[in-house]
Amino acid sequence: MRLNKLFRNSVLFCLLLFGENAIAQLNTYTFEKLDSLQKIEERPVFIFFHTDWCKYCLAMEQNVFSNDEVIELINNNFYFISFDAEQKESVTHDGETFEYESNGVNSGKNAIVYKYAKNNGEVSFPSLVFLWKSKTIYQENSYLNKEELIQILTKISNL
């Protein structure tokens, strides 16, 4: 009996201590799941193209995508895809398959990056792309702080 009470109190303590962080978690999806998700509920798609070596990408992951207001706006209004631009596995989206394209030794990008994240013929990171019905409606190829992103998320979610 004492062990059950100790277990119950430990669980309650953990919920109080970690409960806020456990609730605020960003829902992420894959390109492959989008078609079936859009059939259930049409939403804009928010793609965060990043790389492992991009310090601005890492800063956005740590400082912006961890913000409760950002998480709530994204989870309630968008299908969010966090995509490693250097992913070597092929990706299928909208009936098209995108392969990894090598451009040197241990260097390259998945072709889907060129389709959606290219700006003035160049790809830079981080790249934030918003799609509606597979068409780009907004693109930003730079670091955004949480206030800037909240402003953009709010405008697009109100379209």
Side-chain angles (χ1 to χ4, degrees), residues 53-67:
W53 50 263
C54 170
K55 64 182 177 184
Y56 296 106
C57 301
L58 184 60
M60 281 196 75
E61 288 172 341
Q62 292 176 347
N63 302 322
V64 180
F65 292 124
S66 62
N67 176 272

Side-chain angles (χ1 to χ4, degrees), residues 49-115:
F49 289 104
H50 57 86
T51 64
D52 291 341
W53 50 263
C54 170
K55 64 182 177 184
Y56 296 106
C57 301
L58 184 60
M60 281 196 75
E61 288 172 341
Q62 292 176 347
N63 302 322
V64 180
F65 292 124
S66 62
N67 176 272
D68 288 342
E69 189 175 354
V70 169
I71 292 170
E72 184 177 344
L73 276 167
I74 293 172
N75 286 348
N76 291 336
N77 300 292
F78 300 90
Y79 293 122
F80 179 73
I81 298 174
S82 179
F83 189 82
D84 180 357
E86 297 174 325
Q87 172 180 311
K88 293 186 178 176
E89 295 83 23
S90 63
V91 175
T92 302
H93 173 62
D94 257 358
E96 191 175 348
T97 300
F98 300 90
E99 303 287 340
Y100 177 79
E101 295 180 4
S102 178
N103 59 8
V105 178
N106 295 325
S107 177
K109 294 174 190 62
N110 189 291
I112 201 162
V113 174
Y114 299 111
K115 177 169 181 155

Side-chain angles (χ1 to χ4, degrees), residues 7-158:
F7 177 76
R8 186 182 76 231
N9 289 339
S10 297
V11 169
L12 288 173
F13 176 75
C14 288
L15 285 174
L16 288 173
L17 184 63
F18 303 111
E20 186 174 317
N21 291 335
I23 293 170
Q25 185 172 344
L26 194 55
N27 297 330
T28 60
Y29 303 94
T30 63
F31 281 104
E32 288 82 4
K33 297 274 185 191
L34 282 182
D35 289 339
S36 59
L37 289 168
Q38 293 289 16
K39 288 177 185 172
I40 297 168
E41 180 184 0
E42 280 193 326
R43 291 184 182 186
V45 177
F46 175 18
I47 310 165
F48 174 59
F49 289 104
H50 57 86
T51 64
D52 291 341
W53 50 263
C54 170
K55 64 182 177 184
Y56 296 106
C57 301
L58 184 60
M60 281 196 75
E61 288 172 341
Q62 292 176 347
N63 302 322
V64 180
F65 292 124
S66 62
N67 176 272
D68 288 342
E69 189 175 354
V70 169
I71 292 170
E72 184 177 344
L73 276 167
I74 293 172
N75 286 348
N76 291 336
N77 300 292
F78 300 90
Y79 293 122
F80 179 73
I81 298 174
S82 179
F83 189 82
D84 180 357
E86 297 174 325
Q87 172 180 311
K88 293 186 178 176
E89 295 83 23
S90 63
V91 175
T92 302
H93 173 62
D94 257 358
E96 191 175 348
T97 300
F98 300 90
E99 303 287 340
Y100 177 79
E101 295 180 4
S102 178
N103 59 8
V105 178
N106 295 325
S107 177
K109 294 174 190 62
N110 189 291
I112 201 162
V113 174
Y114 299 111
K115 177 169 181 155
Y116 291 119
K118 195 170 9 174
N119 189 13
N120 295 324
E122 298 289 324
V123 175
S124 61
F125 302 103
S127 183
L128 296 90
V129 177
F130 292 85
L131 306 177
W132 178 248
K133 298 187 180 191
S134 297
K135 303 261 189 272
T136 301
I137 58 172
Y138 184 83
Q139 180 176 349
E140 186 74 42
N141 289 60
S142 64
Y143 176 89
L144 296 177
N145 64 37
K146 62 185 172 195
E147 291 81 13
E148 293 167 326
L149 184 57
I150 287 169
Q151 186 178 19
I152 293 166
L153 291 169
T154 303
K155 283 182 182 179
I156 293 174
S157 64
N158 289 326

